Amino acid sequence: MKKDTEKKLDSFFEQVYAVARLIPKGRVTSYGAIAKYLGTTRSSRMVGWAMNGAHNVKPKIPAHRVVNRIGVLTGKHHFPGPKNMEELLRKEGVKVKKDQVVNFKELFWDPSLELDFD
DNA sequence: CGATTGACGTACG
DNA sequence: TCGTACGCCAATC
């Protein structure tokens, strides 16, 4: 058993997708948080790049729950509609003010904490 | 095949 | 504290 547990680890993108799917509803996280969780803190750009194909994988990735470290919807332009992202967040209870998540610090969901922490 | 860009973040001055 | 520079890796031009 195990042996498959570690496996070769899917592509870096897959790891990002996996974490993104784990984001609880009504919560948000940052690219850097995911990157750090994966151990690629400096490769935070790759996280965003990975999300570039998020809409292309199944199940769909809640990329709208992923924002930059300051809580700004930097990737809203990549959504089907620029308003789609903040609207989705609002539907989940996340208030967005001018492309910025309100109470971002409170809504922030850190995988390295929630997942790593038993 | 080489240079530039990109949904970011950290380091340094 | 704020501004600028660099790094990361992949995709696109």
Side-chain angles (χ1 to χ4, degrees), chain A residues 46-74:
Chain A
M46 299 297 78
V47 178
W49 200 242
M51 302 311 280
N52 207 324
H55 66 95
N56 200 24
V57 289
K58 284 96 65 175
K60 197 179 163 219
I61 309 296
H64 60 273
R65 294 181 190 154
V66 184
V67 295
N68 62 357
R69 73 178 182 91
I70 53 181
V72 175
L73 283 57
T74 48

Side-chain angles (χ1 to χ4, degrees), chain A residues 29-36 44 47-48 51 63 66-68 74-75 85:
Chain A
T29 190
S30 65
Y31 307 97
I34 298 172
K36 186 176 288 188
S44 46
V47 178
M51 302 311 280
V66 184
V67 295
N68 62 357
T74 48
M85 186 170 185

